[in-house]
Amino acid sequence: MTPEEAIAFVRTHGIVLEAAAGPVPSLAEAIAGAPIQGSWWPHPRGKAIFRATRAVRAADEVLVCRLIDGKITLVHRLLWPALVRCAGRLQADRLARVTETHTAAGRHAVRTISFPQWVPATVSLEADALTERAALERLRRCMPIDANG
């Protein structure tokens, strides 16, 4: 799976887990072609998984958060208005944007941008135009609503 195909996978499914198993598709398992036992790093497709997940994380159209069971979750831009409209039903900390940077010392630093600070004004306007019922229906097509717990 190319990085472009990985982004298309997220777009198609709307909400996916980056690597964990759960109630929505896993990008790493889609790339591997089967469930992964343990870490994906030593998997024969590990390098392809790394390239694809980094490309998806860098895509402007994908929110990286911990929506599903506190695991890294990838949400396509098409669902952001529904998330914003239903934010009161979801745990706010699960809607924080997660980013990774490399420090000068070569370490990974995880940074979060709290909800709703990361939400673009256009997404807020789109969310305001949705009824809660319509927003819930959009989300239910992609995930069990109680999966954020």
Side-chain angles (χ1 to χ4, degrees):
M1 182 179 292
T2 67
E4 294 78 18
E5 290 169 334
I7 294 168
F9 180 84
V10 175
R11 184 182 314 111
T12 297
H13 293 282
I15 299 174
V16 303
L17 288 163
E18 182 177 70
V24 298
S26 163
L27 178 59
E29 288 184 354
I31 295 166
I36 298 171
Q37 300 299 317
S39 172
W40 58 262
W41 284 96
H43 190 278
R45 304 275 307 142
K47 288 181 181 179
I49 293 168
F50 180 79
R51 279 191 303 275
T53 57
R54 296 314 101 170
V56 170
R57 283 181 176 229
D60 290 338
E61 65 194 276
V62 176
L63 166 67
V64 180
C65 62
R66 294 188 179 274
L67 179 63
I68 306 290
D69 298 330
K71 306 293 185 189
I72 293 294
T73 308
L74 310 168
V75 182
H76 192 269
R77 162 67 176 81
L78 294 171
L79 289 176
W80 296 359
L83 277 183
V84 171
R85 182 66 175 92
C86 294
R89 293 176 170 261
L90 305 169
Q91 295 177 18
D93 63 327
R94 300 275 176 99
L95 295 177
R97 179 182 287 275
V98 176
T99 61
E100 266 186 43
T101 58
H102 286 86
T103 66
R107 294 192 167 158
H108 290 276
V110 176
R111 179 175 167 237
T112 59
I113 303 168
S114 62
F115 176 83
Q117 274 60 44
W118 63 263
V119 178
T122 55
V123 170
S124 293
L125 290 172
E126 292 172 48
D128 290 344
L130 280 176
T131 65
E132 186 173 34
R133 183 176 180 169
L136 283 169
E137 182 56 35
R138 286 184 189 182
L139 292 177
R140 281 191 181 113
R141 287 185 208 136
C142 300
M143 68 177 229
I145 295 301
D146 63 346
N148 70 76

